[in-house]
Amino acid sequence: MGQERLIGAFGWSNTGRSFDAVSIYREKGGRRVQLFAANLPAPRQRGFARGQNVFGVSWKASDSRQSIEPYAFWLQDQTNLRGEVRSGGTRLLTSGARYTRQDKGWRHNLEAAWQVGRRNEDPHLAAALTYRADHTWGVRHSPALGAEYNFAGGDGDPADGKSREFHNLYPTNHSQYGYIDLFGWRNLHNLRFIFSLKPSPRVQLELDCLEFWLAEARGAWKNAGGKALARDPSGRSGRHVGRELDATGAINLSSHWRFLLGYSVFWPQGFAHSTAGDAAARFGYIQLLVAY
């Protein structure tokens, strides 16, 4: 939904998540309302009341220049996990809205989300924000420049019995916060600068430069899958985690075949130097997509 920052298709894995779900929507005259219910079964558990259940509602109004999309998601995760001082399941309400506008070569995208509830039975309160602006010149090769800022709350005190790290639900992170997937929409300050070019109607090239900081120095650095990569409980390692450069290309061979390739490098900075070492991470890929 939207840019898939909270609910996404996650099409980059042959073994990705798979939901049992039902969705109902009505669309008319630039208005769309959608309701859905989905279940991600937990291992060795059966039934809709088990595993992870997510329910959602969204309403979208759009015209040729702008759109607004408020939404609300309810997550009920029956998985019993250890919190800071308690153990149990998770029940979170995520509400937010996304606004987009296009005008004279400019495109703006703003999204904000808030969360309340209980996470592993710890009281939970968190927020996240993203804003992106792009300008495309109407000349040969359609050059475009863009800038993006992402924020997601973190938990600065891992022993106070309160959860403050934003839970980004079931997103498609791969194209949002660096292609190496070292970051998700959690405990994050992120700046991203984008340059793109179309050498031909079938070819799209893009270069992304990203800088990453922790929102809370004592909070965990987590990757796109939510796994903690490092933490400094003292906070002395600072907040600057590192920077990444992504070069990507897409070639539409036909209406059914698409060729993707890319190469990324991540250079660790203060926090990553202190907690995970100074070795750079590199990631390259070649992918062929078949749509039918």
Side-chain angles (χ1 to χ4, degrees):
M1 301 181 70
Q3 287 191 313
E4 301 188 4
R5 294 181 186 272
L6 293 172
I7 304 292
F10 189 60
W12 264 79
S13 173
N14 292 327
T15 59
R17 71 180 75 95
S18 178
F19 286 94
D20 298 319
V22 59
S23 176
I24 303 174
Y25 73 90
R26 176 178 173 82
E27 188 169 5
K28 183 178 181 181
R31 305 290 190 271
R32 176 188 173 101
V33 61
Q34 181 176 6
L35 302 168
F36 74 88
N39 171 250
L40 181 66
R44 296 180 297 279
Q45 291 183 328
R46 297 179 180 273
F48 193 80
R50 300 285 186 150
Q52 302 169 38
N53 305 319
V54 58
F55 308 88
V57 57
S58 67
W59 177 82
K60 184 176 182 179
S62 60
D63 56 32
S64 60
R65 297 176 60 185
Q66 61 186 355
S67 69
I68 185 168
E69 184 180 6
Y71 54 77
F73 305 127
W74 172 254
L75 171 64
Q76 183 182 29
D77 188 347
Q78 304 295 326
T79 309
N80 193 329
L81 297 175
R82 177 70 180 172
E84 292 184 358
V85 298
R86 304 169 181 85
S87 296
T90 293
R91 299 176 297 280
L92 295 181
L93 174 64
T94 304
S95 60
R98 177 172 178 255
Y99 175 75
T100 62
R101 181 179 177 85
Q102 301 181 71
D103 187 28
K104 298 179 180 179
W106 284 96
R107 179 179 175 86
H108 302 271
N109 180 84
L110 174 66
E111 184 172 352
W114 297 265
Q115 287 181 334
V116 295
R118 303 188 75 84
R119 189 171 183 178
N120 306 330
E121 291 303 324
D122 292 334
H124 178 82
L125 180 64
L129 173 75
T130 180
Y131 172 71
R132 176 169 172 170
D134 299 87
H135 186 269
T136 302
W137 283 267
V139 297
R140 187 182 181 188
H141 302 324
S142 301
L145 282 174
E148 179 177 296
Y149 168 70
N150 295 295
F151 163 78
D155 196 330
D157 189 342
D160 64 353
K162 298 178 181 179
S163 171
R164 294 292 182 265
E165 181 186 274
F166 188 75
H167 190 311
N168 61 339
L169 303 182
Y170 306 101
T172 302
N173 275 333
H174 189 65
S175 61
Q176 310 285 3
Y177 319 104
Y179 281 89
I180 304 184
D181 288 333
L182 294 176
F183 297 87
W185 211 15
R186 308 163 180 258
N187 192 26
L188 180 71
H189 285 292
N190 166 231
L191 284 176
R192 178 184 180 189
F193 301 96
I194 309 106
F195 173 70
S196 65
L197 199 66
K198 288 186 175 181
S200 76
R202 291 191 175 189
V203 178
Q204 171 89 28
L205 303 177
E206 183 171 302
L207 184 67
D208 293 8
C209 302
L210 305 100
E211 291 280 349
F212 301 97
W213 296 265
L214 300 178
E216 295 288 345
R218 297 177 63 197
W221 165 23
K222 294 186 177 180
N223 65 11
K227 178 182 178 181
L229 300 181
R231 181 197 293 269
D232 181 0
S234 71
R236 296 191 184 96
S237 297
R239 297 185 179 186
H240 192 192
V241 184
R243 61 178 55 101
E244 183 171 326
L245 185 68
D246 297 335
T248 59
I251 305 172
N252 294 314
L253 302 175
S254 71
S255 59
H256 298 288
W257 296 82
R258 191 175 190 222
F259 184 72
L260 303 175
L261 70 162
Y263 187 76
S264 302
V265 183
F266 173 80
W267 294 277
Q269 300 300 306
F271 177 87
H273 268 302
S274 300
T275 59
D278 58 1
R282 292 174 172 83
F283 170 64
Y285 66 90
I286 298 175
Q287 185 181 77
L288 183 63
L289 298 178
V290 182
Y292 54 90

